[in-house]
Amino acid sequence: MTITYYGHSCFSIKIENTNLLFDPFITPNEKAKHIDINSIKADYILLSHAHEDHIADAEAIAKKTNATIISNFEIVSWYAEKGLTNAHPMNHGGSKSFNFGKVKMVNAIHSSAFPDGKNGGNPAGFVIESKEGNFYFAGDTALTMDMKLIPLTTKIDFALLPIGDNFTMGIRDASICAEFVETKKVVGLHYDTFGYIIIDKQEAKNTFKNKQIELHLPKIGETIKI
Ligand code: NI
Ligand code: MN
């Protein structure tokens, strides 16, 4: 499985020949000016919640690629009103099989309103099971005991976790989350994009290393194999 990082919480994962894009926030991101959204391939766009820093480019990329949006019912309905009807609604605890594997929508402790103030439903994370491996994308969330439920049903090969603190888990809580979901590989997200969430990357690496957990912090635009 390859992961390409597009900054903030946006990344794409290629599973066999299917491209999954998560939480696209690229054109407003000062740190991602070198990324051309027209070059991004997407068969599916998964949205964890309705905040601007997770959906900013979803409409443009969905229109260009005709990707299927996977998100909660409220978010899918909001895009349907804009004419984007190629979408799949889910809600927490539900799972669904797609051609690339199985998606389960799981709890996240956060908030979720659209930039226009409309209700974005409840925020979520996703657990993806596929032939090439299983992973957990936490979305924006606090550390929660609910994370302990995930390894009861799915062996997590790696997790993509927010580490920027202030709005989400910080470094220490994300390292506990990795223990809760029983994974030894983490990709850090949701840090350094703006002032509130600037982190000490060395401290992050050390915190995870002390728990024998690999922390990957790819550069924006970098593709890593995991
Ligand atoms: Ni958020
Ligand atoms: Mn966010």
Side-chain angles (χ1 to χ4, degrees):
M1 224 180 277
T2 58
I3 303 174
T4 303
Y5 184 51
Y6 294 115
H8 201 50
S9 282
C10 180
F11 61 94
S12 82
I13 288 203
K14 193 170 183 188
I15 303 172
E16 293 177 322
N17 285 319
T18 303
N19 291 287
L20 275 57
L21 180 70
F22 292 77
D23 285 6
F25 170 77
I26 299 157
T27 54
N29 184 355
E30 288 297 326
K31 302 258 159 77
K33 290 291 175 212
H34 57 294
I35 305 294
D36 173 12
I37 62 165
N38 294 308
S39 70
I40 296 175
K41 291 186 191 138
D43 299 294
Y44 294 89
I45 300 171
L46 289 87
L47 303 174
S48 65
H49 64 295
H51 287 160
E52 172 78 1
D53 62 316
H54 297 259
I55 65 158
D57 294 306
E59 185 177 352
I61 296 172
K63 278 185 176 152
K64 176 151 173 59
T65 59
N66 202 32
T68 303
I69 294 171
I70 300 176
S71 193
N72 70 30
F73 190 81
E74 290 81 359
I75 291 175
V76 162
S77 303
W78 192 78
Y79 282 105
E81 274 179 32
K82 291 172 168 283
L84 286 165
T85 52
N86 184 14
H88 183 92
M90 297 184 71
N91 218 325
H92 300 79
S95 53
K96 186 74 189 172
S97 291
F98 296 87
N99 67 336
F100 59 86
K102 197 156 98 175
V103 177
K104 185 174 188 182
M105 184 172 269
V106 296
N107 279 349
I109 307 275
H110 192 66
S111 58
S112 177
F114 281 101
D116 64 7
K118 290 224 173 85
N119 173 22
N122 290 313
F126 295 103
V127 174
I128 313 285
E129 293 180 9
S130 82
K131 269 188 267 172
E132 294 192 0
N134 306 330
F135 63 93
Y136 168 48
F137 166 50
D140 279 6
T141 184
L143 180 66
T144 160
M145 294 297 275
D146 289 335
M147 291 159 176
K148 287 196 168 194
L149 297 173
I150 292 169
L152 298 183
T153 53
T154 308
K155 187 196 167 297
I156 298 297
D157 296 300
F158 61 95
L160 299 111
L161 308 177
I163 58 171
D165 219 340
N166 193 73
F167 297 115
T168 66
M169 296 188 281
I171 295 161
R172 186 181 56 186
D173 283 0
S175 74
I176 297 168
C177 169
E179 293 172 321
F180 280 6
V181 303
E182 297 173 15
T183 188
K184 289 288 181 191
K185 287 182 190 174
V186 169
V187 179
L189 303 172
H190 213 275
Y191 68 94
D192 282 4
T193 316
F194 27 75
Y196 292 122
I197 58 172
I198 290 171
I199 64 159
D200 179 339
K201 289 197 269 298
Q202 196 54 50
E203 182 197 336
K205 289 205 170 131
N206 293 343
T207 300
F208 282 83
K209 203 176 169 198
N210 288 340
K211 298 185 175 190
Q212 284 84 46
I213 300 166
E214 279 175 38
L215 175 67
H216 297 265
L217 300 174
K219 291 190 187 71
I220 298 174
E222 188 181 352
T223 299
I224 59 168
K225 224 178 153 62
I226 197 158

